[in-house]
Amino acid sequence: MDELLNFVSRGNSVFLTAQTFWGTLLDTLHLSINDTMMWQKKDSLIVFTNPQLNGHPYSFGSEYIQFFEPDSVSQATILGKNGFDKPNFVKIGHGDGNIYLNLLPMAFTNYYVLNDSTSDYAFKALSYLPPNQPVIWDEYANQGRDEEESALRVVMSYPPLRWAYYIAIFGVLLYVIFEGKRRQRIIPVIQPLKNTTLEFLGVVSRLYFQKQDHIGIAQKKSIFFLEQIRTKYHLKTNQLDEDFVATLSQKSGYPMEKTKYLIWKINQITHQPSMTDLELVQFDKEIEDFNRYQV
């Protein structure tokens, strides 16, 4: 404030607008502000005392207002009054310069500057400043220092919070790098199943060959042959009589005599205790002949 007053005393002008002033400024200028609770009514209008500027009154709605005590502005020039005819805008000299004090800061906000009925109030109030001089515009009291505009100013003001913030950011980056990638379970290679039928047959045949169980092999071949008959021709094989032989010969087209001999041989094997190598080979040939005939 001392620097500001020295600036004015050197012949400069300062325009200040705020809801109230106090301290060194008012003591130096011998001003006092009424701080009694007073509400500006909607029909109480703001006016300029200069007839050339007072084209029409201004209404800023219902607003708590303050004003300069009339007794303290005897050395000042009253430039504007409120709806109660109390001074709210004054000019007072200090040294070689002048100070303009305005108690209506809402008039300089975007809302009222853009409003058609109040937009020229700020223009007219600022027109008291001397022309053709550099203008320094300061809004420090409204928005604060630049670094205080950051939403993280509180976090950055305290070292523990600042380091916690840095660690959190670092942790998120690590997660994005190492864990954020799409993961997919490794698909195992499934080997196709091997056809072990021939191996199984080889093992079974060697087993029967080593044991010389020819009748067992013949009986297994008989069971397998009858299963084929049931599946292919839908015939019952619980009774292998003449009717069965006639029906099988008719459906398969295999000669009647050969069909009769094959079925007779199967009936014999069911009750036969043993079989020679030659008989087994001959029986196998009879079944293969029947199967080849069907193909």
Side-chain angles (χ1 to χ4, degrees):
M1 186 56 64
D2 291 338
E3 291 295 332
L4 186 65
L5 292 173
N6 290 334
F7 176 78
V8 175
S9 64
R10 294 195 297 269
N12 298 297
S13 298
V14 170
F15 186 103
L16 298 175
T17 178
Q19 191 171 357
T20 187
F21 299 98
W22 62 89
T24 303
L25 179 63
L26 296 184
D27 294 341
T28 302
L29 301 178
H30 305 289
L31 294 174
S32 62
I33 294 179
N34 186 290
D35 56 359
T36 304
M37 183 70 71
M38 180 180 292
W39 292 88
Q40 174 68 51
K41 299 179 181 179
K42 289 186 177 181
D43 57 353
S44 298
L45 305 176
I46 307 298
V47 295
F48 288 105
T49 57
N50 187 341
Q52 296 181 357
L53 297 179
N54 198 19
H56 64 86
Y58 300 93
S59 176
F60 294 96
S62 296
E63 191 75 31
Y64 170 67
I65 61 172
Q66 292 179 312
F67 57 89
F68 295 101
E69 289 287 358
D71 296 339
S72 68
V73 295
S74 58
Q75 303 298 321
T77 302
I78 298 175
L79 303 178
K81 294 183 178 181
N82 60 26
F84 299 98
D85 199 33
K86 303 294 184 180
N88 67 344
F89 182 24
V90 298
K91 168 188 174 182
I92 188 168
H94 181 71
D96 295 333
N98 297 296
I99 296 180
Y100 300 85
L101 300 179
N102 187 294
L103 295 178
L104 200 63
M106 73 282 294
F108 300 87
T109 60
N110 290 340
Y111 178 81
Y112 289 108
V113 169
L114 297 175
N115 191 307
D116 292 337
S117 63
T118 57
S119 60
D120 61 341
Y121 178 88
F123 169 75
K124 291 178 179 179
L126 293 172
S127 67
Y128 282 103
L129 293 175
N132 302 323
Q133 290 187 6
V135 176
I136 301 173
W137 187 275
D138 180 26
E139 296 184 2
Y140 180 91
N142 288 339
Q143 68 180 15
R145 296 187 297 273
D146 290 342
E147 60 268 21
E148 292 183 350
E149 295 181 1
S150 173
L152 296 174
R153 61 183 181 275
V154 176
V155 174
M156 295 302 178
S157 299
Y158 300 95
L161 292 178
R162 183 167 61 250
W163 278 106
Y165 176 75
Y166 291 153
I167 293 174
I169 295 297
F170 182 70
V172 171
L173 291 177
L174 287 180
Y175 176 82
V176 171
I177 294 173
F178 295 103
E179 297 293 335
K181 295 184 294 184
R182 178 176 179 267
R183 282 190 168 188
Q184 181 176 354
R185 182 174 57 87
I186 298 176
I187 300 176
V189 178
I190 300 177
Q191 298 294 338
L193 297 177
K194 295 181 179 180
N195 188 351
T196 59
T197 303
L198 295 178
E199 296 179 4
F200 175 74
L201 292 177
V203 172
V204 173
S205 61
R206 285 194 298 271
L207 177 63
Y208 278 96
F209 179 76
Q210 291 175 0
K211 294 178 62 177
Q212 297 294 312
D213 188 9
H214 304 312
I215 189 62
I217 296 176
Q219 290 174 352
K220 296 296 186 297
K221 289 185 69 66
S222 298
I223 295 173
F224 181 71
F225 174 76
L226 295 177
E227 175 62 26
Q228 286 181 316
I229 297 302
R230 288 192 296 269
T231 303
K232 187 173 183 178
Y233 300 110
H234 306 287
L235 297 176
K236 294 181 179 181
T237 59
N238 54 342
Q239 291 184 356
L240 303 180
D241 51 14
E242 293 182 358
D243 293 337
F244 175 79
V245 172
T247 303
L248 178 59
S249 176
Q250 182 180 4
K251 286 190 173 185
S252 63
Y254 197 59
M256 182 66 178
E257 293 298 327
K258 291 186 176 182
T259 303
K260 185 175 181 181
Y261 176 78
L262 177 60
I263 298 303
W264 175 80
K265 192 64 177 178
I266 291 175
N267 284 324
Q268 291 295 320
I269 291 174
T270 304
H271 306 286
Q272 190 173 336
S274 62
M275 178 179 285
T276 63
D277 296 346
L278 184 59
E279 290 176 331
L280 177 59
V281 171
Q282 183 62 33
F283 177 65
D284 181 72
K285 183 178 180 302
E286 294 291 340
I287 293 179
E288 291 300 324
D289 287 343
F290 182 89
N291 291 333
R292 282 194 295 269
Y293 189 86
Q294 304 305 307
V295 175

